[in-house]
Amino acid sequence: MSRIHDLGGMRGFGPVVVDPEDAPAFHAEWEARVFALMRSLVDQGLFLLDEVRHAIERMPPAAYLDASYYERWLVAIETLLVEKGHVPEAELRRS
Amino acid sequence: MTRFGPGDRVRTRRDDTGGHTRLPRYARGCLGTVDAVHGPWSLPEHAAAGRHFDTPVYTVRFDASELWGASAEPHCNVSLDLWEPYLEDADRTGGAP
């Protein structure tokens, strides 16, 4: 049935934490780069937003809950680049 | 061609294909009222697989008690924008909550 991301109404996660309005947009430089990379991939038509969401929602539940917002975006980018044949998986694993 | 219009009573589908959707679990099988008609917009179930299929989208208003039961905040509504395939005619499926 519904997957791990579908958390509305679930107890145990505590209140939603909202950053103050003057907080920086990104917690780290790598987050800004992931944001720019995602925008570029979507704007060029390589990914649809729905495909991005679907890739995130397919994460194993424990991995999803452990990941931060932009970590999940990075998972989606890697998943879709490999599934769509743009980057061989072996090349992603090399680092 | 839209199936529903403002004021119509609708019930969200209970069945879940397990793929990408924009109908949250907490709002499945719930009775609401159509407030507005939008679109058509690309159905997320198909777009997640790279396919383009448009349907009307409706803003549907639910009483909080319909979603959360007796523990819901009183006099509270929740509105969701829902694609047409997520909805059934409440009068046909039974209007009573």
Side-chain angles (χ1 to χ4, degrees):
Chain A
M1 297 293 242
S2 254
R3 292 172 295 178
I4 185 62
H5 71 290
D6 194 348
L7 293 169
M10 199 172 293
R11 295 185 188 274
F13 288 90
V16 174
V17 176
V18 180
D19 283 344
E21 270 194 27
D22 57 356
F26 305 102
H27 298 119
E29 198 220 323
W30 72 266
E31 291 191 340
R33 270 191 274 139
V34 167
F35 179 86
L37 183 55
M38 178 69 85
R39 279 299 305 266
S40 176
L41 291 163
V42 171
D43 289 354
Q44 288 181 81
L46 269 76
F47 298 170
L48 293 175
L49 268 184
D50 313 74
E51 292 176 314
V52 172
R53 292 182 184 126
H54 183 49
I56 291 171
E57 293 162 10
R58 287 183 281 143
M59 289 175 70
Y64 177 91
L65 293 175
D66 264 346
S68 69
Y69 184 82
Y70 285 109
E71 283 175 342
R72 294 196 286 263
W73 276 35
L74 185 54
V75 167
I77 289 169
E78 292 176 349
T79 300
L80 293 174
L81 284 176
V82 169
E83 286 182 351
K84 289 169 173 287
H86 297 301
V87 177
E89 175 144 30
E91 199 172 308
L92 267 181
R93 298 302 145 224
R94 234 186 329 126
S95 59
Chain B
M1 191 65 217
T2 62
R3 191 172 163 206
F4 305 109
D8 284 354
R9 295 286 275 167
V10 292
R11 186 176 291 279
T12 53
R13 287 196 174 296
R14 186 166 287 286
D15 53 300
D16 178 353
T17 61
H20 179 59
T21 183
R22 296 300 279 183
L23 175 58
R25 181 195 344 236
Y26 69 80
R28 289 196 175 274
C30 293
L31 186 65
T33 304
V34 173
D35 272 346
V37 184
H38 314 282
W41 296 117
S42 176
L43 184 66
E45 277 79 347
H46 285 238
R51 297 188 306 265
H52 195 98
F53 178 71
D54 285 345
T55 83
V57 173
Y58 303 92
T59 300
V60 181
R61 178 173 30 94
F62 303 88
D63 193 284
S65 62
E66 172 72 7
L67 303 178
W68 312 121
S71 62
E73 195 173 321
H75 316 300
C76 185
N77 295 315
V78 177
S79 289
L80 297 176
D81 287 337
L82 301 173
W83 276 256
E84 193 169 271
Y86 300 167
L87 306 172
E88 296 164 341
D89 187 338
D91 293 327
R92 255 215 328 277
T93 63

